[in-house]
Amino acid sequence: MNRRRRDVRRSLLSCAAAALVAVVPSQPATAQPACGNVKVELRLHRFAPSQWNTTVLDMRLMREWNARRGNYGAPSYSLQELARVTGDDRVLSSAGMTDSLSAPVPVGLLKSAGTVRNPANTASRLLDGVVCVRADRSVSLLSEVRPDVGRRTPQNWQAATASCVHAVQAGPMLVDAGKPLIGERAPREVSRVFAAVDRERRLVLGHSPKATTFDLACTLAAEGSIEQAIALQGDELGGVRFGSRSGIDEKGWGFDGGTIASAIVLEPLPGRPAQRGGN
């Protein structure tokens, strides 16, 4: 009899525990960070697809370009050298990360003019987004390739970026749907270059001279017009360069002399009005 009572009691406790589990609400995968009054300096320029053509360039092509000019020495893979080759009407930005300080070695997806030139890095938790340029010149940030939403297979990455004519894997994602994504304060305050898309679907290139990714994400979300943002080749190695005939009255931001694996290149379309200062 006592044994039977113990068995019934265990059964009732098991059922009660299961019921408690069933009614406990699930927690969100990523809680929104508490930004408070966090604010860092931002420099922004916005580029409408009706006025600018955006491409992604594999910097390994610099060797081929040099060879065509009869220069078979080791080329420089910097924004400075790229500006010299492409002309002074372009806007150039460092893009994906490189695995070498002396040569362009992409560490994530790199797609240029419809050709995949480097495969996606499906293991990295840092490179959790893609800058995607489509045939109509529109730019979007594919944050759905983040690991918390289960897109960490090569097949899914390929499907997610199939419509991208140009694409570069970067990260971390800073803002999505106008909300900051960085959940904790990073220890390093350094120069940071980023890409964003605003509510008018314009590409935004930006720079903060000294910020953590947490501070940058909070500041961009609070700015009010930014829908998505992602860190590009980061820290002190990243930069943006404005050509002297680009119509932008600034020379550049960050560092333009270091080795980069890929670049975002913006070419002005005919009839584009000049931009005077960041906004």
Side-chain angles (χ1 to χ4, degrees):
M1 179 65 74
N2 289 336
R3 181 177 179 182
R4 183 177 179 184
R5 287 176 180 173
R6 284 197 300 268
D7 290 343
V8 171
R9 188 165 175 255
R10 287 194 191 116
S11 178
L12 290 173
L13 287 173
S14 177
C15 292
L20 285 172
V21 171
V23 300
V24 172
S26 60
Q27 297 298 316
T30 304
Q32 292 296 326
C35 289
N37 296 321
V38 169
K39 187 175 183 180
V40 295
E41 180 182 351
L42 293 179
R43 301 164 179 168
L44 306 173
H45 271 295
R46 303 170 194 264
F47 303 90
S50 61
Q51 299 174 5
W52 295 85
N53 184 52
T54 304
T55 57
V56 173
L57 179 70
D58 184 347
M59 289 296 288
R60 292 173 293 188
L61 291 173
M62 294 293 290
R63 184 178 295 276
E64 297 177 21
W65 294 345
N66 273 16
R68 290 173 190 169
R69 299 197 303 267
N71 181 3
Y72 293 93
S76 168
Y77 301 102
S78 67
L79 288 180
Q80 288 179 2
E81 180 67 9
L82 182 59
R84 190 175 69 82
V85 171
T86 58
D88 57 5
D89 62 344
R90 309 293 206 273
V91 174
L92 310 174
S93 173
S94 53
M97 292 180 65
T98 179
D99 201 30
S100 169
L101 294 178
S102 59
V105 182
V107 294
L109 176 67
L110 179 55
K111 186 177 183 180
S112 184
T115 300
V116 175
R117 300 187 61 88
N118 201 71
N121 184 334
T122 59
S124 173
R125 297 187 64 84
L126 176 66
L127 306 178
D128 60 356
V130 171
V131 181
C132 170
V133 184
R134 294 186 169 86
D136 62 358
R137 297 195 297 271
S138 65
V139 179
S140 61
L141 305 183
L142 304 181
S143 62
E144 66 263 26
V145 296
R146 295 201 315 271
D148 59 312
V149 286
R151 299 194 66 92
R152 279 307 198 192
T153 68
Q155 294 79 11
N156 284 339
W157 276 73
Q158 183 176 3
T161 58
S163 64
C164 307
V165 178
H166 299 271
V168 59
Q169 186 177 354
M173 283 290 296
L174 302 168
V175 175
D176 197 18
K179 305 294 184 183
L181 293 177
I182 304 298
E184 58 185 17
R185 185 178 295 274
R188 298 182 65 213
E189 291 184 332
V190 295
S191 171
R192 297 189 186 275
V193 175
F194 59 89
V197 175
D198 68 10
R199 291 180 179 174
E200 296 183 32
R201 309 311 301 167
R202 295 174 295 183
L203 170 65
V204 181
L205 290 179
H207 174 250
S208 183
K210 188 177 181 181
T212 67
T213 51
F214 175 89
D215 294 345
L216 184 56
C218 287
T219 303
L220 285 169
E223 191 270 346
S225 69
I226 300 299
E227 281 291 301
Q228 297 178 298
I230 191 171
L232 299 177
Q233 173 168 333
D235 300 353
E236 54 274 11
L237 297 179
V240 179
R241 185 181 177 102
F242 305 108
S244 60
R245 294 194 300 114
S246 66
I248 298 175
D249 58 357
E250 295 185 74
K251 182 179 179 180
W253 306 320
F255 183 53
D256 64 0
T259 297
I260 59 174
S262 56
I264 294 173
V265 180
L266 290 104
E267 180 181 4
L269 298 174
R272 179 194 58 83
Q275 292 179 232
R276 299 299 178 186
N279 53 64

